[in-house]
Amino acid sequence: MMRLSTFLIFVIAVTANFAFAQTDSLKLDLKQAEILFLKNNFELLASNYQIDQAKAEVITAKLFDNPELEYENLFYNHETKKFLQTSFEYGQYAASISQLVKLAGKRNKNIKLAQTGIKLAELEYFDLLRTLKFELRNTFYKTYFSAQSVKVYEDQIKSTQSLLKAYDIQLKAGNVALKDVIRIKSLIIGLKSEQANLLNDLEDHYKDLRLLCGLEPNSILKLSVSTAAERNLKLDQIPYSTLLDSARTNRADLKLAKTDLEYNELNLKLQKAMAIPDVEISLAYDLKGNYPEKYTGIGLKIPIPLFNRNQGEIKKARVGIDAATSNIKKQELILSNEVFNSYQTALRNEKLLSEIDPSFNGDFNKIVNGLIKNFRERNISLIEFLDLYESYKENILQINNLEFEKMSSREELNYVTGANIFK
């Protein structure tokens, strides 16, 4: 019974630990990270609210001016010594109602301007989305390959510690020199120091990824990279002209510059319309203060555009058009340079990675065990062993870095073209 109860307690403890591990860790591939990003990213949410604010501007532009009501009453009659009298015999009051009527299509022009403001807010959102999505995907790959490099150190430290244990036994037996044991211990210390630095960088990458996805700081992430066919799509099969056309069609910042020109052109039309005065129509009633008594009148008020013809705002709108036109040219030049530069960088990275023998990056433990075996059998010296050991580790780390550079340059092409060429 004691053994059975002990076994049950052990099973419950293991199950609880397993459940905790499942709850506390989150397995993520790139698509899942993007879903969390779109749902939880606070910068995107804030930008989306700005679209709602722009839509509210359209509601404001559609509203008509309120009519104005004016009323005046006799306050104190010194003859009757009474206040606020309204009778025809002893009182007096006057009232009027007026309505401003905007001319030259100002209301419609304001509505069109506000609707263009919505387009600007939406394009700003999509440009922010393009930027943050590139940051997310780039950070995801950086984190993944950094974690792979950390694993290289973990495997190497583990195998080196096993070698150290064997050497300690041989040292006690007098079969090896103390200096060889010290060299192996120094190697382990160096590996642990390098691993610690890499872990510090990895934690920073995890922090950035959590912020982008809106995750809590205690979320333990386990990343996986898909081996989908899109990842193996050969870049040299995509013409540069196709990438450039995609950028001109899809880039939100270029569309934003063109819409800004449209906004300034509409603003010029509005400012010219503002130079035309509006008319105020009023209807008035006066009990006894006018002729004849019980006076009813209609009024018309219009300012004379003698001095102020909105010259300053019209000039500002024209300058805005010139500035927006210049900005379009600048954005087109930036776009073409970014696409060309990113394309050349991606081709260079992919060529460099393709020249590496794929069999080189094999199973780490198998290769390391082979090195250890040769070393134990005295086929290679300790110095040769350490040199080969270090060279292999550095090459694996470089391959991980090249893999990251390849994926990063592909993501940059997605970014500069505004399209999901590499999904």
Side-chain angles (χ1 to χ4, degrees):
M1 288 297 292
M2 283 293 291
R3 288 182 179 178
L4 179 60
S5 60
T6 304
F7 176 75
L8 289 173
I9 291 170
F10 173 77
V11 170
I12 292 169
V14 170
T15 306
N17 287 333
F18 179 72
F20 174 78
Q22 278 189 321
T23 304
D24 200 43
S25 63
L26 179 62
K27 292 183 179 180
L28 275 184
D29 60 21
L30 192 53
K31 288 184 178 179
Q32 292 168 333
E34 286 183 349
I35 291 170
L36 290 172
F37 160 73
L38 293 172
K39 181 181 177 182
N40 299 327
N41 188 270
F42 291 107
E43 285 187 71
L44 279 184
L45 293 173
S47 182
N48 199 35
Y49 290 138
Q50 291 177 355
I51 297 175
D52 293 335
Q53 289 177 333
K55 289 178 179 178
E57 291 291 336
V58 175
I59 297 173
T60 302
K62 288 181 177 180
L63 297 176
F64 290 94
D65 290 289
N66 291 322
E68 293 185 11
L69 179 66
E70 184 178 354
Y71 177 82
E72 182 180 338
N73 199 98
L74 174 66
F75 179 66
Y76 177 72
N77 190 333
H78 63 278
E79 293 178 353
T80 61
K81 303 188 185 312
K82 291 183 179 180
F83 290 91
L84 302 176
Q85 288 185 296
T86 58
S87 66
F88 181 79
E89 186 177 0
Y90 300 109
Q92 158 62 12
Y93 62 85
S96 67
I97 185 168
S98 62
Q99 175 67 54
L100 182 68
V101 180
K102 290 185 176 179
L103 303 179
K106 293 187 184 71
R107 178 173 172 273
N108 289 333
K109 289 180 173 64
N110 263 311
I111 292 171
K112 289 180 180 179
L113 195 67
Q115 289 171 338
T116 308
I118 295 177
K119 288 173 64 178
L120 287 172
E122 288 174 342
L123 288 169
E124 286 173 355
Y125 171 83
F126 287 123
D127 194 47
L128 177 65
L129 175 62
R130 179 178 71 97
T131 302
L132 290 178
K133 190 175 180 181
F134 166 67
E135 186 178 346
L136 170 76
R137 294 173 70 98
N138 197 56
T139 303
F140 185 93
Y141 284 122
K142 187 185 296 182
T143 308
Y144 174 79
F145 286 110
S146 293
Q148 296 301 109
S149 295
V150 168
K151 191 175 182 300
V152 170
Y153 279 100
E154 288 174 353
D155 293 339
Q156 194 167 11
I157 289 169
K158 184 178 178 181
S159 59
T160 309
Q161 285 174 336
S162 298
L163 179 64
L164 179 62
K165 288 180 183 178
Y167 252 67
D168 281 333
I169 295 171
Q170 293 296 318
L171 178 64
K172 291 175 183 177
N175 297 328
V176 295
L178 177 62
K179 63 178 182 179
D180 292 339
V181 176
I182 293 173
R183 281 178 179 173
I184 297 173
K185 287 182 178 180
S186 299
L187 174 62
I188 293 174
I189 292 171
L191 289 172
K192 286 184 175 180
S193 176
E194 291 174 15
Q195 184 192 36
N197 292 330
L198 194 58
L199 281 169
N200 291 335
D201 293 336
L202 182 59
E203 282 303 318
D204 289 338
H205 301 332
Y206 277 128
K207 177 202 69 176
D208 295 338
L209 195 57
R210 291 189 195 101
L211 286 173
L212 286 164
C213 294
L215 297 173
E216 293 296 326
N218 59 349
S219 302
I220 298 174
L221 304 180
K222 294 183 179 179
L223 308 184
S224 62
V225 171
S226 172
T227 56
E230 292 87 350
R231 192 181 170 197
N232 299 319
L233 178 66
K234 293 188 179 298
L235 181 61
D236 54 11
Q237 295 175 349
I238 306 173
Y240 166 71
S241 58
T242 301
L243 297 175
L244 188 59
D245 289 341
S246 176
R248 287 170 176 165
T249 304
N250 299 313
R251 282 276 290 262
D253 53 347
L254 181 59
K255 291 180 181 179
L256 187 63
K258 292 178 178 179
T259 306
D260 186 52
L261 175 60
E262 180 186 344
Y263 183 90
N264 280 280
E265 288 172 344
L266 289 171
N267 186 45
L268 176 60
K269 292 179 181 179
L270 175 62
Q271 297 308 323
K272 286 181 176 179
M274 294 294 288
I276 299 172
D278 298 325
V279 175
E280 184 178 329
I281 301 172
S282 61
L283 185 65
Y285 176 82
D286 195 319
L287 183 65
K288 292 192 299 183
N290 217 320
Y291 179 83
E293 293 178 340
K294 298 182 180 180
Y295 168 83
T296 301
I298 187 169
L300 189 70
K301 184 167 72 173
I302 182 169
I304 301 173
L306 186 61
F307 304 111
N308 182 357
R309 298 187 299 278
N310 206 33
Q311 299 97 318
E313 293 300 320
I314 291 172
K315 185 174 181 179
K316 279 172 60 178
R318 284 176 174 154
V319 171
I321 289 175
D322 293 338
T325 303
S326 177
N327 188 46
I328 290 173
K329 294 177 181 178
K330 183 189 80 170
Q331 288 298 327
E332 288 176 340
L333 184 62
I334 290 173
L335 179 148
S336 58
N337 274 279
E338 285 181 347
V339 173
F340 181 80
N341 183 67
S342 298
Y343 186 62
Q344 295 300 318
T345 302
L347 286 173
R348 192 180 306 113
N349 288 336
E350 302 217 354
K351 183 175 183 294
L352 182 59
L353 191 60
S354 67
E355 291 172 351
I356 297 173
D357 184 0
S359 63
F360 178 82
N361 191 12
D363 182 71
F364 180 85
N365 290 325
K366 187 185 293 184
I367 296 174
V368 168
N369 289 335
L371 280 174
I372 293 173
K373 182 181 178 182
N374 279 296
F375 175 57
R376 284 176 174 172
E377 293 175 355
R378 306 290 181 176
N379 294 329
I380 55 175
S381 66
L382 178 62
I383 294 175
E384 289 174 320
F385 169 75
L386 294 177
D387 183 56
L388 288 169
Y389 213 47
E390 178 69 17
S391 296
Y392 181 74
K393 181 204 71 178
E394 289 299 324
N395 279 299
I396 293 296
L397 295 178
Q398 287 176 9
I399 288 172
N400 283 339
N401 186 60
L402 287 173
E403 286 280 4
F404 164 68
E405 291 295 338
K406 171 188 172 182
M407 301 311 296
S408 178
S409 59
R410 287 189 169 202
E411 290 306 324
E412 189 169 338
L413 275 176
N414 283 344
Y415 172 71
V416 298
T417 58
N420 291 326
I421 296 172
F422 302 99
K423 298 179 182 179

